[in-house]
Amino acid sequence: MTARRPSLAVVGATGVIGGVMLQILSQHADVWGEVKLIASPRSAGRKLVVRGEESEVLELTEDVFDDVDVALFLVPDAVSAQWAPIAAAKGTVVVDDSAAFRLDPDVPLVVPEINPHAARIRPRGIVASPNCTTLSLIVAVGALHAEFGVRELVVSSYQAVSGAGRDGVAALREQLSMVAGTELGTQPGDVRRALGDVEGSPFAAPVALNVVPWAGTEAGDGWSSEELAIREECRKVLDLPSLRVAATCVYVPVIATHSMSVHARFENEIAVDRAHEILATAPGVVLYDSPAAGDFPTPSDVVGTDPTWVGRVRRSLDDPRGLELFVCGDNLRKGAALNVAQIAESVAAEFPRV
């Protein structure tokens, strides 16, 4: 007996995350039958390569989901909110990368290294993947939680501009070209005055020669939507509805790969040697932690890789139950396309053998 190879649709195939997904589909074990590439009307007709073969991009319509077993949605929230239920109504299992369904109680929020079982129960026919920032830390935190029982997280993010899409990358590159070779950055406000309002920038302040302590939209009481997403998504994935989480999200002048400084407090006392053992053997984690030798993760070293990299692991000086660590994860791979692909592969394994 052999497994039936389910059909797949990639919605948003021409986007940044879609491009990474096509690479992953070509690199991973091929569990799929027909693969349809789908995008907006303006991108329909383009030719893209997946699994070594050229394929024409189809327009997003209701009919395109006929005979599709699994659909990956790599599109903005509004597009997913409109089209994912349409696909699910046709019997297609939707794996969605947007924020549209992450906190819906009838939609599982899945990180395969932590809660793979959750993907099997999907009342709406939809499985959600967490935010890229959450995914940069949750694999490591989840592994430690299984041993020590996490009770509180205090997180500061150092987020790559690709988290804001192509406009974010374009804004940083343009700003860097404008400040290169200058003496800017030595006087109050000189970078902002020199750059002015850079057209198309999604950032509230210059990101070149700077950091911007705001990601997302206003969510009330001074919090951003990105910060509250980390809180709620960690709670849901870990099944800890009362977990205490405080996050501050900051954009930094890095193209791809989010980094996070994490203070985690646990139910039980922490032994750093045991934490090292757990992280060194946890699926999806690379422990890289010898700071005296200069061994710790940085985004420029981690970019383009799949795991969450962890370093600077140390026990809190004033709390035997506290652990400090630094994590890096490529926000376009594990933070987006890879996690969606992993979920989809677990769904593909459910299809009957023939």
Side-chain angles (χ1 to χ4, degrees), residues 139-160:
V139 178
V141 168
L144 293 168
H145 167 62
E147 175 85 4
F148 299 115
V150 69
R151 291 294 175 265
E152 181 179 10
L153 295 171
V154 180
V155 176
S156 293
S157 73
Y158 309 87
Q159 295 183 214

Side-chain angles (χ1 to χ4, degrees), residues 2-65:
T2 58
R4 179 171 79 82
R5 287 154 56 95
S7 57
L8 181 72
V10 181
V11 183
T14 59
V16 173
I17 299 172
V20 178
M21 180 62 75
L22 299 189
Q23 294 175 13
I24 290 171
L25 291 174
S26 300
Q27 294 163 351
H28 281 207
D30 191 3
V31 300
W32 304 107
E34 180 187 11
V35 176
K36 292 183 179 181
L37 307 183
I38 301 169
S40 64
R42 67 178 180 276
S43 296
R46 287 180 56 183
K47 300 290 182 64
L48 298 175
V49 175
V50 59
R51 303 186 298 181
E53 297 181 1
E54 192 174 70
S55 181
E56 182 174 335
V57 176
L58 306 176
E59 181 180 348
L60 178 57
T61 65
E62 289 191 30
D63 293 343
V64 82
F65 297 107

Side-chain angles (χ1 to χ4, degrees), residues 54-122:
E54 192 174 70
S55 181
E56 182 174 335
V57 176
L58 306 176
E59 181 180 348
L60 178 57
T61 65
E62 289 191 30
D63 293 343
V64 82
F65 297 107
D66 291 345
D67 302 319
V68 170
D69 294 310
V70 181
L72 315 182
F73 274 68
L74 313 172
V75 291
D77 299 355
V79 178
S80 282
Q82 177 183 353
W83 286 95
I86 293 172
K90 288 179 171 283
T92 301
V93 178
V94 172
V95 184
D96 183 39
D97 187 54
S98 83
F101 304 99
R102 286 174 184 153
L103 301 183
D104 187 320
D106 290 325
V107 175
L109 186 66
V110 175
V111 180
E113 293 87 348
I114 298 172
N115 63 340
H117 56 280
R120 301 187 189 104
I121 303 173
R122 37 183 190 265

